[in-house]
Amino acid sequence: MPPAPRLWDEFASMKKRAVFLDRDGTINVDVGYPRDFAQVTLFPWSAEAIRKINAAGFVTVVVTNQSGIGRGFYGEDELQTLHRRMTEALAAEGARLDAVYYCPHYDYAADPRYRGGCACRKPRPGLAERAAAAFDLDLPASYMIGDKVEDVQFGLAFGAAPILVRTGYGESSAVRLAALGLRPAAAAPHLLEAVAWLLERERTRRT
Ligand SMILES: [Mg+2]
Ligand SMILES: [Zn+2]
């Protein structure tokens, strides 16, 4: 019989869980390839939703496809500045983003550094794997919230529970998901309702 694990070993192996969030159409209005935070309008409920995710003990990670880099619409420095401003604006409302990961690739990029075939464009799970390595995450026990078919497929790719929001492209995505025979764990009108569903699921699972 193997020796019983010591309490510390069990504690040390306890992985954290994440709520992954898509950016455009989920946290903010999707205006298409914004290059400056001045062009970004956060949904009025996003800070409250993220505060609730934080308070529930989840690592909070934004995962976003940014082919605008590969298309040459903006550079990585501009994108990182936009993400820093977004993180600061949310922090000013008490909402914490632990990380923002993006895929800069585009299949037909002129710059070979950004040409496709990458492992990180959603629905491929590369961005989640990066977050898992950085934060020691239990991916199948995590959640993914987004407005596109690719967001739902991304969550399913690593066994997380995907929640579709009906903001952004959410309405047309619901139709496409049904046609594909893919089911998110839930569909919610917007991010705050998605978080309410998630927290209720957590509550009922514990009892
Ligand atoms: Mg989106
Ligand atoms: Zn990529």
Side-chain angles (χ1 to χ4, degrees), residues 118-140:
C118 68
C120 57
R121 183 167 176 83
K122 294 179 291 182
R124 292 190 279 272
L127 297 180
E129 285 160 4
R130 245 164 82 188
F135 293 98
D136 193 25
L137 298 176
D138 183 353
L139 289 180

Side-chain angles (χ1 to χ4, degrees), residues 4-84:
R6 288 168 302 157
L7 186 59
W8 172 253
D9 291 340
E10 286 191 11
F11 180 75
S13 71
M14 255 177 63
K15 288 177 176 287
K16 285 170 276 185
R17 303 163 70 201
V19 175
F20 292 99
L21 300 171
D22 170 52
R23 195 190 81 180
D24 300 324
T26 301
I27 296 174
N28 55 273
V29 179
D30 191 342
V31 294
Y33 306 110
R35 60 182 297 167
D36 189 288
F37 186 60
Q39 297 165 273
V40 173
T41 305
L42 296 171
F43 289 124
W45 49 77
S46 289
E48 183 183 356
I50 291 166
R51 282 199 301 269
K52 287 185 170 177
I53 295 167
N54 300 156
F58 289 94
V59 178
T60 310
V61 179
V62 174
V63 284
T64 178
N65 283 347
Q66 292 296 325
S67 69
I69 302 279
R71 293 171 198 264
F73 295 164
Y74 42 82
E76 291 201 56
D77 48 347
E78 288 171 292
L79 182 66
Q80 286 165 11
T81 298
L82 187 158
H83 288 158
R84 193 169 59 247

